[in-house]
């Protein structure tokens, strides 16, 4: 496998799995406890302060949906990722807002319409937050080893856990169903 293919694989799958954004065009029907596509995590009538965990999670979700404008406002320069990457890496090479945005952007190249919905409301306890999500997107091609035709719609799930320090996300743990995604891409 070439270095380019290894790097693309390292960046592609975990970012796709890590994505959390709420979408107005999501195909998944939210459960009664899930946040709907038309509403953010915070209530419109009770807006949370900009540095509250709920407001930060709103921005986090928009970030994974491709709105990078608030990345530096919610991601610490010390931001680190903990994830089992397909190339055997542990995610530690993805650092800060720029590294995270590059990871997300590369994923979106293979799944340009990637959209996410929350399966349940986020859990927030002290300086940690966790969200469970479902992602749906159309494969555009270019995934190493994938035999699925471009245009194949994929759906997969995962859970993100984030640590907050000084009003920014500083650490990120990803647990995603890589097998579900790879099976749909016929990459096994």
């Amino acid at each position: 496998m070439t270095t380019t293919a290894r790097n693309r694989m390292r960046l592609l799958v975990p970012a796709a799995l890590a994505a959390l954004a709420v979408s107005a065009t999501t195909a998944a029907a939210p459960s009664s406890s899930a946040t709907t596509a038309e509403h953010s995590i915070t209530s419109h009538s009770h807006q949370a302060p900009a540095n509250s965990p709920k407001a930060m999670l709103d921005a986090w979700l928009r970030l994974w949906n491709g709105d990078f404008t608030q990345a530096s406002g919610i991601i610490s320069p010390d931001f680190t990722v903990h994830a089992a990457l397909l190339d055997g890496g542990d995610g530690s090479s993805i650092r800060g807002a720029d590294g995270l945005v590059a990871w997300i952007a590369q994923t979106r190249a293979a799944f340009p319409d990637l959209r996410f919905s929350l399966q349940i409301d986020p859990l927030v306890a002290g300086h940690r937050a966790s969200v469970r999500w479902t992602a749906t997107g159309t494969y555009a091609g270019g995934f190493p080893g994938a035999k699925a035709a471009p245009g194949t719609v994929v759906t997969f799930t995962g859970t993100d856990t984030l640590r907050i320090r000084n009003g920014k996300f500083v650490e990120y743990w990803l647990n995603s169903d890589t097998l579900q995604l790879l099976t749909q891409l016929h990459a096994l």
Side-chain angles (χ1 to χ4, degrees):
M1 180 179 292
T2 68
T3 300
T4 302
R6 258 192 312 276
N7 285 341
R8 185 168 183 119
M9 183 180 290
R10 175 183 68 81
L11 294 173
L12 243 177
V13 171
L17 302 174
L20 293 174
V22 174
S23 165
T25 60
T26 184
S31 69
S32 61
S33 65
T35 304
T36 65
E38 292 80 25
H39 294 87
S40 63
I41 292 169
T42 56
S43 164
H44 291 292
S45 61
H46 296 47
Q47 284 296 326
N51 64 346
S52 75
K54 298 276 187 191
M56 290 174 63
L57 285 169
D58 276 344
W60 174 257
L61 296 173
R62 287 190 303 275
L63 175 67
W64 285 104
N65 242 4
D67 178 0
F68 305 144
T69 58
Q70 295 183 22
S72 62
I74 63 165
I75 304 299
S76 168
D78 300 326
F79 182 81
T80 58
V81 174
H82 306 281
L85 305 181
L86 289 180
D87 69 354
D90 62 3
S92 62
S93 64
I94 302 165
R95 308 286 286 177
D98 290 342
L100 181 61
V101 166
W103 193 32
I104 295 167
Q106 193 143 25
T107 297
R108 296 186 72 78
F111 304 93
D113 65 346
L114 198 57
R115 296 290 176 221
F116 302 84
S117 61
L118 297 180
Q119 289 184 342
I120 61 171
D121 290 335
L123 300 173
V124 177
H127 62 276
R128 289 195 170 78
S130 187
V131 292
R132 176 75 179 164
W133 47 264
T134 298
T136 301
T138 307
Y139 177 55
F143 188 92
K147 294 176 183 67
T152 299
V153 175
V154 298
T155 300
F156 53 97
T157 60
T159 302
D160 289 358
T161 302
L162 299 137
R163 185 170 63 90
I164 302 165
R165 184 180 68 210
N166 299 326
K168 293 191 176 193
F169 294 120
V170 69
E171 214 166 357
Y172 171 41
W173 292 266
L174 166 64
N175 184 336
S176 58
D177 193 342
T178 305
L179 179 60
Q180 188 179 20
L181 177 62
L182 293 177
T183 299
Q184 293 170 76
L185 291 175
H186 306 282
L188 297 176

